[in-house]
Amino acid sequence: AQSVTQLGSHVSVSEGALVLLRCNYSSSVPPYLFWYVQYPNQGLQLLLKYTSAATLVKGINGFEAEFKKSETSFHLTKPSAHMSDAAEYFCAVRASGGSYIPTFGRGTSLIVHP
Amino acid sequence: GAGVSQSPRYKVAKRGQDVALRCDPISGHVSLFWYQQALGQGPEFLTYFQNEAQLDKSGLPSDRFFAERPEGSVSTLKIQRTQQEDSAVYLCASSKTGRALHGYTFGSGTRLTVV
């Protein structure tokens, strides 16, 4: 069984400030982890993924995430927020073997203030 | 095609009406997933195909929901006798292989409103 918890349904930051979106996972086997971004009225776009290689993963648009097995976390960060980063962000987990079906979190809405 | 294409983009159905939602995955992608996304929620798994085989349909909420992918490419999600609780965005995703090490590519979704 696998699940994802995203802490905070809304995160508000000022333009230029650090972005931190939290994701904790539960998985009975080594996980693969993903972060997706969804802009209004659009589908989900892959930001980055962890598939058991380097624990610090760099993605598109300046985002990165670190896999911490001891904390069962995969938090998403960006050093400096842009207005264009305002969107909904989803963390997802799936097992590295067996079922290849990803399970998504409930999402975190990132609000960026000028 | 270059991406996953879903049609129609928007669908308004009267309660009790049957609807069919179409997904055109990226050409050659083996795996295809359907998700349901209620307003303000994350995507919830409905069903999964590998080629034409439906390997998992455990997420389909009732027997009113039916999905098929007869030739291993285009997929259709059918909802019979629609209810108001079926109102949601239906997302389709595909991946090149079953293991999906490169992630999943999503379509823009079909927003279904049942009135």
Side-chain angles (χ1 to χ4, degrees), chain B residues 26-38:
Chain B
I26 294 174
S27 178
H29 273 202
V30 166
S31 296
L32 185 146
F33 304 80
W34 283 99
Y35 283 82
Q36 181 189 60
Q37 186 177 21

Side-chain angles (χ1 to χ4, degrees), chain A residues 93-107:
Chain A
V93 63
R94 54 152 269 212
S96 55
S99 171
Y100 298 133
I101 299 168
T103 299
F104 285 82
R106 297 185 65 173

Side-chain angles (χ1 to χ4, degrees), chain A:
Chain A
Q2 58 200 29
S3 65
V4 166
T5 301
Q6 291 186 240
L7 295 176
S9 58
H10 295 82
V11 170
S12 182
V13 300
S14 298
E15 192 174 19
L18 171 72
V19 175
L20 171 61
L21 304 182
R22 299 178 186 274
C23 173
N24 288 88
Y25 70 90
S26 171
S27 178
S28 55
V29 298
Y32 290 168
L33 295 155
F34 308 84
W35 274 100
Y36 281 84
V37 61
Q38 186 177 35
Y39 298 101
N41 297 316
Q42 295 187 27
L44 279 69
Q45 179 183 0
L46 180 66
L47 275 178
L48 48 80
K49 61 186 185 294
Y50 166 77
T51 55
S52 76
T55 57
L56 181 62
V57 181
K58 294 186 184 298
I60 62 172
N61 301 339
F63 284 93
E64 64 180 38
E66 186 172 7
F67 172 67
K68 292 186 176 180
K69 184 178 179 180
S70 61
E71 299 177 7
T72 61
S73 69
F74 190 58
H75 301 331
L76 182 70
T77 61
K78 181 174 180 178
S80 176
H82 294 169
M83 296 296 291
S84 59
D85 294 328
E88 193 80 16
Y89 291 81
F90 295 95
C91 182
V93 63
R94 54 152 269 212
S96 55
S99 171
Y100 298 133
I101 299 168
T103 299
F104 285 82
R106 297 185 65 173
T108 297
S109 179
L110 177 64
I111 302 161
V112 182
H113 297 287

